[in-house]
Structures are given as structure tokens and as C-alpha cells.
Amino acid sequence: MKVVAISGSARKNGNTAILVGKVFAELERAGIETELLQLAGRPLRGCTACYGCYQKKNGRCVVEGDCFNECLSKMVEADGIILASPVYVTDVSAEMKALIDRACLVSRANGNSLRRKVGAAVLAVRRGGATHAFDTINHFFTISEMIIVGSNYWNFALGREIGDVEHDEEGLKTMSVLGQNMAWLLKKIHSGEAK
């Protein structure tokens, strides 16, 4: 089993990636392979609404020249997907929104290729707006027919400067529980108990 996480932060190895690392630690402890893709420094444009994906139906966006098709390919191959973002103006980063919009359209054009994958949102937030950003990612998961895994609180931690999230004990505990719950759910699904 494998979980791929995509960090929509503009800061490579920042708070968002740190939080994903906390979730990954639990997944890896359970024997689940992990991979982190960071969008920092990698251009990712929004959907052009050309519907070329519906015409070609080849599992790819027809807009080339950015990292979208690589990201979508990793999402389709994975059993679980973590979408992680800092909170900007009470929502996900522009890069994460571009990924969500294009992934939704291309996956739907190709037989709902993300259906029944396990999804989790992870957010790094300075102070407010996290629940709206959390909803944005979860709305993508539900329209994609994915299964959302929860934790003991909403999946975010507080921090502004790189490393600040390490001081949010409750946020870190939330990430650990999220990783444990994601591992449990993936194992249940793959054991054949969830049919």
C-alpha cells in the first residue's frame, strides 16, 4: 500500500511538509509506503475549461508544461492521498486549488479514477480560516467519490514561521492520530473486510 501527499505550500520543507511528516511517521510505522510531492517552486496553472480531457480520455490533462500530470499520475497509483496546504485568506493555496480543479475534471473524464481512494486533508494555519480550507479539500474528496479519514480534531496545526507547528502539541497529536486512522482504514479496505 502507498500514500502520496502533495504539499501546496510555497515554502519547501515548511510547516505543511512538517505536518505531513508527522502523518507519514505513523503510516510508515504501519508498513505503508509514503511519498511527498512539494509544489514549491513548481508552476501549476489552473484549469482552462477546454474539456480536452473528456475528448482524449487518456488520464492526462492536455495542458502540458507544469507538474500537474505527474501529480495526478501519483494520485491515481496511490491507495491513499493527502492534500496538504497552508491557509491563505481562509482557503488553500492557489497551487492546491489549481491541482484540485484539474484533478477533479481529469479524473471524472476518465471513469472517476480517484473513486474509493482514502483521502485526508492537512493544513498549516497561522490563526484562522483552517476549517474553510479543510472543507475545500474535503469537497474535492467527496465529489471524487473518495473515502475521507478523520482524526481526533480537524487536521490542522498552528504556526507561521518554519518550524512553529512543532510547538502545537494538540496539532501534532492530531496528525499522529490521523496517520494511525489512515493506516487502519487502508488495512481494513485491503484485507477485504470493506466490500
Side-chain angles (χ1 to χ4, degrees):
M1 287 177 286
K2 182 172 182 178
V3 172
V4 66
I6 301 175
S7 170
S9 177
R11 296 192 293 191
K12 192 170 186 176
N13 301 321
N15 287 323
T16 308
I18 290 168
L19 295 176
V20 169
K22 299 298 181 189
V23 181
F24 275 6
E26 298 298 333
L27 292 168
E28 291 163 5
R29 189 173 291 118
I32 296 170
E33 184 183 351
T34 62
E35 182 179 4
L36 173 62
L37 301 174
Q38 298 190 66
L39 300 180
R42 303 178 76 193
L44 185 65
R45 64 159 296 131
C47 181
T48 63
C50 69
Y51 288 90
C53 53
Y54 274 88
Q55 294 166 1
K56 292 200 171 189
K57 294 189 183 295
N58 64 357
R60 297 177 61 81
C61 179
V62 298
V63 176
E64 300 284 350
D66 63 15
C67 65
F68 173 76
N69 283 317
E70 173 195 354
C71 291
L72 182 62
S73 174
K74 298 277 187 178
M75 291 166 72
V76 170
E77 292 169 7
D79 302 290
I81 299 166
I82 296 171
L83 295 183
S85 180
V87 175
Y88 294 160
V89 196
T90 74
D91 214 334
V92 296
S93 68
E95 292 79 11
M96 181 55 64
K97 186 65 167 92
L99 177 81
I100 285 171
D101 290 347
R102 288 170 71 184
C104 185
L105 205 59
V106 176
S107 67
R108 289 174 73 85
N110 290 276
N112 290 337
S113 58
L114 300 176
R115 176 190 290 132
R116 298 191 184 118
K117 294 187 182 291
V118 174
V122 167
L123 297 154
V125 60
R126 184 187 73 83
R127 183 171 299 278
T131 53
H132 181 78
F134 187 61
D135 288 347
T136 294
I137 295 172
N138 286 329
H139 291 156
F140 164 70
F141 291 153
T142 58
I143 199 168
S144 299
E145 299 181 48
M146 292 175 60
I147 303 160
I148 298 170
V149 64
S151 186
N152 60 337
Y153 197 70
W154 296 283
N155 308 340
F156 67 84
L158 303 174
R160 180 178 179 172
E161 300 306 319
I162 294 175
D164 282 353
V165 292
E166 297 276 12
H167 305 295
D168 181 357
E169 287 184 36
E170 184 178 12
L172 296 178
K173 177 67 175 169
T174 300
M175 296 305 141
S176 293
V177 172
L178 177 62
Q180 293 163 16
N181 289 347
M182 192 171 206
W184 178 88
L185 182 56
L186 284 166
K187 287 184 173 190
K188 287 292 186 186
I189 291 169
H190 287 275
S191 71
E193 292 178 32
K195 290 187 178 184

